[in-house]
Amino acid sequence: MAGWVGDLITAGIVVTTATAVPASATLLPKTIALPDGYQPEGIATNGPTFYVGSLVDGRIMRGSVLTGRLSPFIPGTPGDSTTGLEVHGNLLFAAGAATGTLKAYDLRTGRKLAERRVAPAGESFIND
């Protein structure tokens, strides 16, 4: 029977218990759609919040794995790219792919706190 779990057999008697799902329970989204042409690369999580970078212009979107809602976090710039992402404390670190840069952002405000060139642009690929 669908919805019934935990069959217990004792002395030839089958005892079945039902597992009820509260009416207030919600299902997690199966997919979360990114903007057309986004070309995602790199993802990091902080609790139920996730961040995903774009190879196209370096923008970073922020979303919720619980609701599926997605919003811009860091705007993109032509010629920029974001690959590997990592959350550490209140910081989001972003690798810049072929730009040769690493960036650090404040998770609360989205403000860029630092940007460092770690390799010549076009001569490397910075990722996680």
Side-chain angles (χ1 to χ4, degrees):
M1 287 187 226
W4 294 88
V5 294
D7 287 347
L8 175 64
I9 301 175
T10 307
I13 301 171
V14 177
V15 178
T16 318
T17 58
T19 302
V21 177
S24 63
T26 58
L27 299 175
L28 297 176
K30 290 184 192 276
T31 60
I32 298 172
L34 293 168
D36 288 340
Y38 194 76
Q39 293 187 22
E41 171 61 32
I43 189 166
T45 59
N46 187 28
T49 303
F50 71 90
Y51 302 86
V52 61
S54 173
L55 289 171
V56 174
D57 59 8
R59 73 187 130 154
I60 300 172
M61 300 294 283
R62 174 172 50 195
S64 168
V65 297
L66 301 176
T67 65
R69 284 192 216 115
L70 191 66
S71 61
F73 183 60
I74 306 298
T77 304
D80 204 356
S81 190
T82 298
T83 51
L85 294 171
E86 179 73 31
V87 172
H88 185 75
N90 290 321
L91 300 174
L92 176 65
F93 294 95
T99 67
T101 60
L102 293 173
K103 299 174 186 173
Y105 297 96
D106 183 301
L107 277 181
R108 292 174 299 235
T109 65
R111 186 169 71 94
K112 184 169 38 175
L113 302 174
E115 180 174 352
R116 300 289 182 266
R117 179 163 306 283
V118 296
E123 295 182 21
S124 60
F125 192 90
I126 310 300
N127 200 347
D128 51 1

